[in-house]
Amino acid sequence: MVFFMKEAMNKKLEKALLGFAAGVMVAASAWSLLIPAIEMSEKMGKWQVMPAAVGFMFGVLFLLVLDHIVPHLHIESDEPEGIKAKLQKTTMMVLAVTLHNFPEGMAVGVVLAGIASGTSTMTLMSALALSIGIAIQNFPEGAIISMPLKAEGVGKMKAFLMGTASGLVEPLGGLLVIALTSITIPLLPYFLSFAAGAMIYVVIEELIPSANIGKHSNIATMGFAIGFTLMMILDVVLG
């Protein structure tokens, strides 16, 4: 989008894209991660929800710690967060998105690791649904980081490359989980819900607040509804 849009991104479009990304992530967390995590623990009887609950909270706490450690700057903010560091504003904006992309890669990686082990009830099509959902919401994320960089005076190609680089952490997160398959499989319900917790943290901490700043927050709400519905359909139809 940075090559086709002449000016800064329209605020209404930005709100719609932020809401859409949030909707996809919430639906993916529920249908692709939390529900399978609970179903895998059915042998625990009425306590089968506990691995999902524990993993979810650890995912939230993991992102909370990273938020306090990694220096970063949210899109609609002028006040950097994390450990103080002498970094350029554009670098910290990229770090903010990079920080939040890691659990998305983990989510896909842990599902694929479970399928590869043969011990998971999930199918390759359900992994494909999750991958497509994450890929779709990466489009607005990339636009939301590259367009403000362009508005800050960064060249189109550099803004494009920095927006792209912010997403490269996703395959790294996926590969890390797959590489640790021997550890991951016995704890698969925990890893699935961990990824869900981390993604929900991103939605509540970053996407929804940014989408609701100023006027026309109803546009973000509609974007959320569309993203949630699309991801739900993908997971049920393909899964």
Side-chain angles (χ1 to χ4, degrees), residues 21-33:
V24 169
M25 291 176 71
V26 170
S29 297
W31 267 270
S32 299
L33 300 171

Side-chain angles (χ1 to χ4, degrees), residues 76-95:
E76 300 290 346
S77 175
D78 294 320
E79 191 69 30
E81 296 183 12
I83 295 174
K84 291 185 178 180
K86 294 182 179 180
L87 297 174
Q88 291 184 341
K89 181 179 179 180
T90 53
T91 302
M92 287 195 289
M93 287 172 68
V94 173
L95 279 174

